[in-house]
Each structure stands twice: as structure tokens, then as C-alpha cells.
Amino acid sequence: DEALQAKANYRIGDCYRLSNRLAEAEPFYRDAFKSQAITDLELVYNYAFSLKAAGKYESAEKGFKKYVSEGTDFVKVRRAKEELENLKELASMAEPNPYITIENCDALNTEAAEYSPILYEGKLVFTSSRTPSE
């Protein structure tokens, strides 16, 4: 039965979403949504977030817009509007900046983990998992 399969996909998508694996929820939400057996706008809302997590920004935008225009939960409508603004910013951030060049700094980068750099008293200080002999 198509409605039963749609509900199963919706619930599997929810399981992935609730375990903070939104990108993995996307194909299940997609199948539930495309079946048109589920008319719950919660599906649209959650599907939009899973699309965003999967990097499908244009489709996510359509979902968030649909929820903004049809959703009844004020908090979620506001969040969907915020996500639409975030998607606009995301597009501009994805464009390469011709004024920035990223180069490997062999004097600092090793096989160990180096992170959290800050300037302290005119010197660069960072955290590393290096052994003292490195």
C-alpha cells in the first residue's frame, strides 16, 4: 500500500532527523513527500531542513517558502523565514573570494592536529596534539 510505504519513509526520515543525521533523512522524506499520501506540513518543514543538510539548497528554498506560505506554527514559520535568509547568505559565502589565497604553512602544519590559533602578545599561539619532541 502506497500510503503505508509513505508513512514508513516519513518515520524513517524522522528517525534520522532525531538522531541528528539530517542528510541521511533526505531520501526518506523525499519518497514520503513525492508519494503525496502525506499532506502534513511538518513533512515539508523537515524535508526542507534535510535538503539543506544534503546541500540541495534550491530545493530546500522551495520547501521553506512553501512552509512560510502554508504553515500554521508561528515559531516554525519564523524559523523557515530565517532559513530562507540563511540560504541567501550561504550562496554568497560559497562564491570564491579572488582576494584570498589559502596556502599550506609547512612550518606549522604537521601530521598532528593543530587548531584554535590566536595572537597572544604579538605571537601566534595554537593548540596541538604534537609530542614534545616535534
Side-chain angles (χ1 to χ4, degrees):
D1 178 55
E2 188 177 334
L4 189 59
Q5 183 65 43
K7 285 181 185 179
N9 281 323
Y10 187 20
R11 289 186 176 148
I12 292 169
D14 279 346
C15 289
Y16 279 117
R17 176 181 58 84
L18 293 169
S19 62
N20 203 26
R21 298 180 341 198
L22 271 169
E24 293 174 68
E26 187 268 331
F28 297 98
Y29 282 146
R30 179 185 60 234
D31 290 346
F33 180 77
K34 285 189 174 185
S35 75
Q36 298 182 341
I38 299 174
T39 58
D40 183 5
L41 282 173
E42 289 294 308
L43 172 59
V44 172
Y45 182 78
N46 293 329
Y47 181 33
F49 276 102
S50 71
L51 286 163
K52 180 183 171 199
K56 299 176 180 179
Y57 304 125
E58 288 180 25
S59 296
E61 181 180 358
K62 290 176 187 174
F64 288 126
K65 283 181 178 178
K66 180 174 177 65
Y67 193 84
V68 165
S69 68
E70 298 175 22
T72 56
D73 183 322
F74 174 76
V75 173
K76 288 183 179 177
V77 167
R78 187 179 67 210
R79 175 77 191 276
K81 286 179 181 178
E82 290 171 359
E83 288 300 323
L84 287 169
E85 291 301 313
N86 291 342
L87 286 171
K88 288 179 191 174
E89 292 298 317
L90 190 61
S92 68
M93 289 171 43
E95 295 173 8
N97 185 332
Y99 301 107
I100 296 175
T101 303
I102 299 173
E103 296 178 9
N104 185 24
C105 183
D106 292 329
L108 295 177
N109 293 338
T110 67
E111 293 296 318
E114 292 100 10
Y115 50 93
S116 301
I118 61 167
L119 288 175
Y120 178 72
E121 295 182 1
K123 295 182 181 181
L124 179 66
V125 179
F126 59 93
T127 303
S128 176
S129 64
R130 298 177 191 174
T131 60
S133 63
E134 293 180 271

